[in-house]
Amino acid sequence: MKLSPAQIQEFGEKGYLFFPELFSAVEIAVLKSEVPGIFAQRRQENVREKTGDVVRTTFAAHTFNEAFRRLAHHPRLVEPAEQLLGSKIYIHQFKINGKAAFDGDVWQWHQDYGTWQADDDMPNPRAMNLAVFLDEVTEFNGPLWFIPGSHRDGRIEAGHDLTTTSYPLWTIDNATIAKLVRQGGIISPKGKPGAALFFHCNIVHGSPPNMSPYERVIVYISANSVENAIRRYKRPEWIAHRDFTPVMSLDDDCLKTYRRGQAAE
Ligand code: SIN
Ligand code: MN
């Protein structure tokens, strides 16, 4: 899938692009049906909420689950990322964020590049997220909040928050957020399963807790330019990958042709 010049310009201005129907119901059903089995596993890649025995994030599922490996190589994600980053890409991080009904905790205001630079020594903000909704995202179940255009301010000073949630994050203080919101406002893309959000690694974002009875699973593929590989290996490999091999796209029907339990080809 190729982005138009107008879409590339919009990404540059706002820092994100929203696609209400990037994947079909059949494709999303393939992915969604894998999630309970993944969340049930006791493995280091499953980071649980501090409030309950529910999964906050599964890291690196594309390395141990064939359906998610296919998603990570999907041309509707890989080709736009190559266009926006101006090179081949590799996968820096891969997350299935559970945001479970009732237990899904806050993601504080942050920039992803803040963490990627501070922890992983990623040289430049030449990386982005490709987010795919596996559930309907509404105003109730902890949707993402973005400050449009905030990626243009570059990297903003952040503090390392080790206590608010079960997962350490470099977060931005309230006074700075208030100033940015006065300039750019807040938007919250909502949509059906199969919607997708591509966003710049420097856009300021977060999400409130999910106190609704509705699940909110979103998959995030963090794509980095192969010319921008990380230089510090402080975090585990399954959080910040060291495989800088360029991602090669699979066929457009790669999710539709997946059969449960099928091994990698
Ligand atoms: C993130 O910012 O990395 C995750 C936010 C969310 O899933 O709500
Ligand atoms: Mn983030």
Side-chain angles (χ1 to χ4, degrees), residues 56-57 93 95-99 105-108 110-112 116 129 141-146 167 169 199 205-208 216-220 222:
R56 176 173 178 80
T57 306
Q93 192 169 77
K95 307 196 296 277
I96 306 173
N97 280 5
K99 203 44 106 98
D105 208 350
V106 63
W107 286 84
Q108 313 94 302
H110 68 283
Q111 295 171 303
D112 283 2
W116 299 343
N129 280 304
N141 60 357
L144 281 161
W145 293 1
F146 287 137
Y167 185 71
L169 201 64
F199 58 98
H205 64 285
S207 64
R216 196 230 66 180
V217 177
I218 299 180
V219 183
Y220 296 85
S222 302

Side-chain angles (χ1 to χ4, degrees), residues 170-182:
W170 289 85
T171 62
I172 299 172
D173 67 67
N174 292 350
T176 307
I177 294 299
K179 190 174 117 233
L180 290 169
V181 170
R182 277 196 295 278

Side-chain angles (χ1 to χ4, degrees), residues 56-131:
R56 176 173 178 80
T57 306
T58 299
F59 284 100
H62 67 302
T63 65
F64 60 82
N65 179 280
E66 173 59 10
F68 285 100
R69 185 189 75 82
R70 290 182 185 210
L71 181 69
H73 291 77
H74 203 289
R76 278 172 246 157
L77 302 177
V78 175
E79 290 171 4
E82 289 175 347
Q83 277 181 285
L84 292 168
L85 299 176
S87 69
K88 292 298 227 183
I89 57 151
Y90 77 90
I91 297 167
H92 171 57
Q93 192 169 77
F94 188 107
K95 307 196 296 277
I96 306 173
N97 280 5
K99 203 44 106 98
F102 299 113
D103 281 310
D105 208 350
V106 63
W107 286 84
Q108 313 94 302
W109 286 111
H110 68 283
Q111 295 171 303
D112 283 2
Y113 184 63
T115 298
W116 299 343
Q117 187 188 52
D119 286 349
D120 308 325
D121 194 14
M122 185 183 282
N124 293 297
R126 200 172 158 193
M128 62 181 296
N129 280 304
L130 306 155

Side-chain angles (χ1 to χ4, degrees), residues 99 137-144 207-212 216 218:
K99 203 44 106 98
V137 176
T138 71
E139 65 268 47
F140 302 117
N141 60 357
L144 281 161
S207 64
N210 181 4
M211 58 189 270
S212 83
R216 196 230 66 180
I218 299 180

Side-chain angles (χ1 to χ4, degrees), residues 22-37:
L22 194 63
F23 291 95
S24 70
V26 169
E27 291 170 318
I28 294 302
V30 166
L31 297 166
K32 193 70 208 292
S33 68
E34 301 287 319
V35 172

